[in-house]
Amino acid sequence: MAGISGHWVFAFGVLGNIISFIVFLSPIPTFYKIYKKKSTEGYQSIPYVVALFSSMLWIYYAFLKTNTTLLITINSFGVFIEIIYVGFYLFYAPKKARIQTVKMLMLSVVGGFGAIILVTEFLFKGAVRGQVVGWICLIFSLCVFVAPLGIVRQVIKTKSVEYMPLLLSVFLTLSAVMWFFYGLLLKDINIAAPNVLGFIFGILQIVLYVIYSKKEKAILKEQKLPEIQKPAVIVSDDNTNVNKKLPELTQEQIIDIVRLAGLLANTDKVQVATCPHDHTNCGVKATANVENMPKLQTVEAS
């Protein structure tokens, strides 16, 4: 039974390494957007700083325990890739976000990790040291899973999923499942326990993404402007008693008609002579300057 259990531990550890590797690479699309826009915009550096600190702690814990080689491999890669992410973020972040990120790095990575090593090395011995470091790792593993909840709050507030990395949520959920069984088979509660909450938080983020992505699409659909109907001109023929529909007027023709109406309305004296019998001598005399009136474009009846 011990041999079979050992094989399952190795299997879940390898799967955990593979999925965690994808988790560490999942923010690449986010940083590609940052690179294209040359700005971090609404993205936050908290998840990457916390993940860096957590990876460093797990490496320290793995060296204090036995049969934890798979923890060392994946967290070593985690430290490497998170340093790149944080450096990339600092390069494109505005001044205020850059200062906040540097403060977090100094407080957690330099001050916090250094203090943990000093305290545990000098105050605790043997197995007790491993237990203390394990509980610290458990707490900060929970912080890794809770860190994206800041983005969840932003999604609920803005009703937009633009800044919620869906891939990260999906792979964090899968990773939590693999490492839970790895810790369970190793009978290490420090590895198994935080991944229970990791699974719950991951499902929560995925559900919120589905809900608000649908709402966002519905809002965009409602905001589409209705199409403007073009005016049609209908002319009534008294002789044939038939309504004829002329071709649609162009924008230039409508403007000319409006200008002509304005000129006629401002004319002081207009004399109109009508000769029902002698059409050759009929005419229009007006004090208005007819030459300044716009020429209408001819419209042929269809």
Side-chain angles (χ1 to χ4, degrees):
M1 290 296 293
I4 297 175
S5 177
H7 290 308
W8 279 110
V9 170
F10 180 77
F12 279 109
V14 171
L15 288 174
N17 269 252
I18 294 172
I19 297 176
S20 295
F21 180 81
I22 299 174
V23 168
F24 284 128
L25 294 181
S26 61
I28 288 179
T30 298
F31 283 95
Y32 180 72
K33 291 180 181 178
I34 293 175
Y35 169 74
K36 293 290 287 186
K37 295 181 179 180
K38 309 299 181 184
S39 172
T40 56
E41 290 189 336
Y43 296 104
Q44 301 177 0
S45 62
I46 296 175
Y48 312 108
V49 174
V50 174
L52 173 62
F53 187 27
S54 178
S55 295
M56 294 171 66
L57 283 176
W58 279 114
I59 291 175
Y60 180 42
Y61 175 73
F63 279 115
L64 297 176
K65 304 287 288 185
T66 57
N67 300 324
T68 53
T69 304
L70 294 174
L71 277 180
I72 295 174
T73 55
I74 189 59
N75 285 288
S76 297
F77 176 76
V79 170
F80 171 75
I81 197 68
E82 295 298 339
I83 288 175
I84 294 177
Y85 290 154
V86 173
F88 200 87
Y89 184 92
L90 288 173
F91 185 79
Y92 286 105
K95 184 177 180 180
K96 184 178 179 180
R98 190 181 297 121
I99 292 174
Q100 290 177 345
T101 303
V102 171
K103 287 181 179 179
M104 285 190 295
L105 285 172
M106 297 299 294
L107 182 63
S108 61
V109 176
V110 178
F113 185 70
I116 289 170
I117 291 179
L118 289 175
V119 170
T120 54
E121 287 293 329
F122 287 100
L123 296 182
F124 302 100
K125 302 294 181 181
V128 177
R129 181 188 300 162
Q131 293 176 356
V132 172
V133 175
W135 279 103
I136 295 173
C137 289
L138 188 153
I139 294 172
F140 280 98
S141 293
L142 293 177
C143 292
V144 171
F145 292 118
V146 173
L149 291 181
I151 300 176
V152 169
R153 185 181 66 177
Q154 185 179 3
V155 169
I156 297 174
K157 183 178 180 180
T158 61
K159 301 187 186 312
S160 173
V161 294
E162 181 180 0
Y163 299 113
M164 175 179 278
L166 178 62
L167 284 178
L168 182 59
S169 301
V170 172
F171 285 109
L172 276 175
T173 305
L174 294 175
S175 176
V177 173
M178 298 304 163
W179 288 113
F180 168 77
F181 284 107
Y182 178 80
L184 185 66
L185 293 171
L186 274 180
K187 298 179 181 180
D188 192 330
I189 190 174
N190 296 321
I191 299 175
N195 287 288
V196 175
L197 285 180
F199 176 78
I200 295 173
F201 288 144
I203 293 296
L204 173 63
Q205 292 174 54
I206 294 171
V207 170
L208 285 175
Y209 187 93
V210 172
I211 293 173
Y212 283 100
S213 62
K214 288 182 178 180
K215 287 185 177 180
E216 190 173 3
K217 290 178 181 178
I219 292 173
L220 292 174
K221 189 175 181 180
E222 290 177 358
Q223 290 178 346
K224 288 184 178 180
L225 296 176
E227 295 183 358
I228 300 175
Q229 297 181 352
K230 295 182 178 180
V233 179
I234 299 177
V235 178
S236 178
D237 192 344
D238 295 335
N239 296 328
T240 60
N241 196 23
V242 176
N243 292 335
K244 296 181 179 180
K245 185 177 180 181
L246 294 179
E248 297 174 350
L249 296 177
T250 63
Q251 186 176 1
E252 291 79 7
Q253 291 171 340
I254 295 173
I255 294 173
D256 288 342
I257 291 173
V258 174
R259 290 174 58 192
L260 180 58
L263 288 174
L264 291 176
N266 294 327
T267 302
D268 294 329
K269 295 179 182 180
V270 178
Q271 296 178 356
V272 179
T274 58
C275 301
H277 303 291
D278 187 5
H279 296 284
T280 57
N281 295 325
C282 291
V284 178
K285 294 181 181 181
T287 58
N289 188 0
V290 181
E291 294 179 355
N292 293 330
M293 293 185 181
K295 295 180 180 181
L296 291 176
Q297 299 179 13
T298 59
V299 179
E300 297 180 357
S302 56

